[in-house]
């Protein structure tokens, strides 16, 4: 089993603040995905990164894949209450996708 | 486009009873299929994955089993449920990205 550790586990911030979530592993992945999940629903894909050092931007969200393809970060600028949810990273290798431990984000209006 | 049907949405079962969760996929052929389990507010644990009919790979030893009797059908089973089997079970299908079903919340009492 390949473990991806996310930090922090819980994060509560005020609307308008910036935040960064980290996803770290000792394993190398061919791709890395970030998902957002609402309670009682399946995760929804936000982005996939495949190249070491790759940076992708999705509106206020910036995703980075580490040079060695072992870690990734998600940065949210000017967080909004709609950003509240569980953020999950997932590493892909072969036919398997391994998920991180999750970061529960609460944005307070 | 791919669609995943997963049922039931919620299930309450006594300890020692059998389990059968079904997942069917539409809009694709010969997909890779996955069963994950998720503890509340945490990451997803990969339980089983399948690359084709009758082909099942198990990630962790446990009280559960999986079967793929048809190309687009994936079943999660148990002969005797344990308290520790409680959790949120998600079926997923790999296409251009990993698509998730709506999940089954299983409570073993």
């Amino acid at each position: 089993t390949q473990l991806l550790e996310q930090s922090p586990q819980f994060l509560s911030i005020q609307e308008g603040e910036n935040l960064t979530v980290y996803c770290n592993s000792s394993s190398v992945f061919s791709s890395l995905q970030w998902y957002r999940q609402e309670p009682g629903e399946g995760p929804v894909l936000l982005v996939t990164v495949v190249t070491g050092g790759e940076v992708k931007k999705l509106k206020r969200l910036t995703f980075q894949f580490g040079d060695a393809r072992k870690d990734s970060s998600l940065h949210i600028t000017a967080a909004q209450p709609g950003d509240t949810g569980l953020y999950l990273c997932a590493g892909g290798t072969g036919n398997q996708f391994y998920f991180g431990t999750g970061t529960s984000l609460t944005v307070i209006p | 486009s791919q669609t995943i049907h997963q049922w039931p949405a919620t299930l309450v079962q006594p300890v020692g009873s059998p389990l059968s969760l079904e997942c069917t996929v539409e809009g694709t052929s010969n997909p890779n299929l996955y069963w994950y389990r998720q503890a509340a507010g945490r990451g997803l644990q990969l339980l089983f994955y399948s690359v084709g009919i009758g082909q099942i790979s198990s990630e962790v030893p446990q009280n559960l089993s999986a079967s793929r009797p048809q190309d687009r059908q994936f079943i999660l089973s148990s002969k005797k449920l344990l308290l520790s089997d409680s959790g949120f079970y998600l079926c997923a299908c790999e296409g251009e990205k990993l698509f998730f079903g709506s999940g089954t919340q299983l409570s073993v009492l």
Side-chain angles (χ1 to χ4, degrees):
Chain A
T1 301
Q2 303 184 38
L3 184 64
L4 288 92
E5 291 282 350
Q6 284 183 239
S7 60
Q9 182 178 346
F10 299 98
L11 190 56
S12 182
I13 62 172
Q14 294 290 330
E15 181 176 0
E17 292 184 349
N18 302 331
L19 67 113
T20 302
V21 177
Y22 298 94
C23 174
N24 295 294
S25 175
S26 58
S27 301
V28 176
F29 295 99
S30 56
S31 66
L32 196 137
Q33 296 83 39
W34 283 93
Y35 293 80
R36 180 170 166 272
Q37 185 181 20
E38 299 282 352
E41 299 180 6
V44 176
L45 181 68
L46 297 174
V47 77
T48 298
V49 286
V50 296
T51 305
E54 182 177 0
V55 177
K56 280 191 174 179
K57 291 190 175 183
L58 184 66
K59 296 184 180 178
R60 294 177 293 102
L61 278 62
T62 302
F63 305 86
Q64 185 165 7
F65 200 12
D67 291 340
R69 290 185 289 132
K70 292 182 179 180
D71 53 83
S72 180
S73 64
L74 159 60
H75 183 79
I76 301 180
T77 303
Q80 299 177 0
D83 295 327
T84 294
L86 180 67
Y87 288 81
L88 297 161
C89 64
T93 174
N95 294 315
Q96 294 108 308
F97 290 88
Y98 297 95
F99 279 78
T101 46
T103 295
S104 180
L105 171 65
T106 302
V107 182
I108 303 167
Chain B
S1 62
Q2 297 175 354
T3 305
I4 300 179
H5 300 280
Q6 189 180 340
W7 67 92
T10 60
L11 190 60
V12 180
Q13 293 284 100
V15 169
S17 64
L19 172 74
S20 181
L21 301 181
E22 188 162 343
C23 170
T24 59
V25 180
E26 295 179 356
T28 184
S29 296
N30 196 30
N32 290 343
L33 298 175
Y34 305 82
W35 278 110
Y36 287 90
R37 178 170 59 200
Q38 184 179 32
R42 300 293 288 165
L44 281 65
Q45 179 188 29
L46 179 61
L47 302 177
F48 301 96
Y49 71 94
S50 171
V51 299
I53 296 174
Q55 300 179 62
I56 308 294
S57 295
S58 175
E59 282 295 299
V60 293
Q62 58 205 319
N63 186 42
L64 303 168
S65 62
S67 61
R68 187 167 177 178
Q70 301 180 44
D71 180 43
R72 286 173 282 183
Q73 184 184 28
F74 204 22
I75 299 172
L76 183 69
S77 304
S78 174
K79 293 182 179 179
K80 290 185 178 182
L81 284 169
L82 306 172
L83 288 173
S84 58
D85 291 325
S86 293
F88 190 51
Y89 288 83
L90 286 156
C91 176
C93 168
E94 183 187 5
E96 294 182 354
K97 59 182 182 180
L98 203 58
F99 291 88
F100 284 88
S102 52
T104 296
Q105 183 64 53
L106 172 66
S107 299
V108 183
L109 305 177

